[in-house]
Structures are given as structure tokens and as C-alpha cells.
Amino acid sequence: GNSVTQMEGPVTLSEEAFLTINCTYTATGYPSLFWYVQYPGEGLQLLLKATKADDKGSNKGFEATYRKETTSFHLEKGSVQVSDSAVYFCALTGGQAGTALIFGKGTTLSVSS
Amino acid sequence: DAGVIQSPRHEVTEMGQEVTLRCKPISGHDYLFWYRQTMMRGLELLIYFNNNVPIDDSGMPEDRFSAKMPNASFSTLKIQPSEPRDSAVYFCASSLWGSNTEAFFGQGTRLTVV
């Protein structure tokens, strides 16, 4: 079945450091890919998405490119801020999974000043 | 729109009691999802509805769990009887038709069963 694997955390960085959170997926068909972010005590919010191969999603300085050849959707940011501290979830939908989002286990990011 | 609204935000109950979690989706959204979040298992899809009809409930862990959507603006997730291992954060989310559309999440209900 469809699944998402993302790097385990926590990831601890200093402010202005470069961030990469790896995400790979297994899916039949042509899924859409998402990154969601969860701040403490809140629900998940969409950060960015890509709906077809080679699409790049971007938002708030974060980027991720849908790589069908490597089945990956790695999240990157060139310069993190303390306010980026949160849990990040990679997810997919579509294909065999239908409309429901299937999530990875989440990666906790902690940024210190 | 106020977004997806869940109630209560926190629930503490004793083992064996019935628990009912509530969700109001965003008006006009025709998909509604229930997820459970734990440290061990992450975010698990429990069940989802399309136009008030349950489409996939394969994630519901046991018969103690049931979910209903009597109309387009309300859904419940019920646990009866509750057990300590049901302690988790339960999220409701809604979206418009289409597998590449964004799902909007409520703030969750933190359930503690003692």
C-alpha cells in the first residue's frame, strides 16, 4: 500500500542554518505530495504541495520538489528561524490511497538563536 | 469561515466510560477525516466520509470506535468503552473534492483515559 517515510528527528539547528528534511514515498499511480507543519498545541497546517512530477512547491522560504525517479519530496530551507521550530509532516494523497492523506511520522525541528 | 471546529479541546475520562468527540467541518467541504496522533504511531487515519457517507473505516482500531456524520456540518467519533491506550490527540479535517486539494485541520481533542 501507499506509505511515506521521513527522517527521524529531532533536528536541532542554529538560526540561519540550512535545513533539509528527507521524505520518500511508496505509491501506485500518481499521488500528490504535501508538507504540513504543526506548531505546539495546534492542528496541522499546509506548508506546501506539489501535484505532479518535477513540480516545486514553495512557501515561507521552504521548498520541495516532486522527484518521481527517486520517489522523494525533500523539504529545504536556506536559512531557518527560531519561529520555524515545529513538527513537519510529509504526506501523500491520490493514487491508490484515494483522497485521504497518508502521513509520515513527523520530524521535530528545534531552532535556537 | 471559522475553520474546522472540534470539541472539546481536552477530555479526561475514566476507563470504561463513553467518550464522544465532535467536529464541525468547513462549510462546503464534502470530505471529512478523523485522525489519531500518538508519539508511537504518529498520525493514523481512522475513517473518512464523502458527502456524509463513510468511505473507508479500515483504520478504526476496534469495534469500540464508531463514527457518524448525520449531516454535512457535524460529525462525531465515539469510543465506548474507553481504555487508557485510547489516550491520544484526535484530529478532524475537511477538504473539497479532489485528491490534490488541501485538507484543513481542527485544533484537535486531547483525550486522556485514566
Side-chain angles (χ1 to χ4, degrees), chain A residues 56-93:
Chain A
K56 177 187 284 188
S58 62
N59 186 25
K60 300 181 182 179
F62 291 89
E63 294 183 340
T65 301
Y66 188 166
R67 301 287 189 198
K68 191 168 175 62
E69 65 275 12
T70 55
T71 62
S72 65
F73 193 54
H74 304 321
L75 183 68
E76 297 182 336
K77 187 174 185 182
S79 176
V80 294
Q81 305 300 312
V82 172
S83 57
D84 294 327
S85 299
V87 183
Y88 293 82
F89 292 89
C90 186
L92 66 79
T93 187

Side-chain angles (χ1 to χ4, degrees), chain B residues 8-19:
Chain B
R9 289 293 311 277
H10 302 275
E11 177 80 35
V12 180
T13 191
E14 292 186 348
M15 183 173 62
Q17 296 298 305
E18 177 179 299
V19 175

Side-chain angles (χ1 to χ4, degrees), chain B residues 37-48:
Chain B
Q37 184 179 33
T38 61
M39 289 292 292
M40 290 296 294
R41 301 174 69 92
L43 270 164
E44 303 172 274
L45 175 67
L46 300 178
I47 185 171
Y48 75 96

Side-chain angles (χ1 to χ4, degrees), chain A residues 30 32 34 36 38 41-46 49 51 87 89 93-95 97-105, chain B residues 9 31 33 35 37 39-43 45 48 91 95-108:
Chain A
Y30 301 94
S32 295
F34 303 79
Y36 278 77
Q38 183 180 29
E42 298 185 11
L44 280 72
Q45 305 171 26
L46 178 67
K49 70 177 183 183
T51 58
V87 183
F89 292 89
T93 187
T99 301
L101 282 161
I102 304 299
F103 287 92
K105 291 202 170 182
Chain B
R9 289 293 311 277
Y31 281 87
F33 309 87
Y35 288 88
Q37 184 179 33
M39 289 292 292
M40 290 296 294
R41 301 174 69 92
L43 270 164
L45 175 67
Y48 75 96
F91 287 103
S95 72
L96 288 169
W97 180 86
S99 61
N100 62 354
T101 57
E102 176 182 358
F104 293 81
F105 282 74
Q107 291 193 297

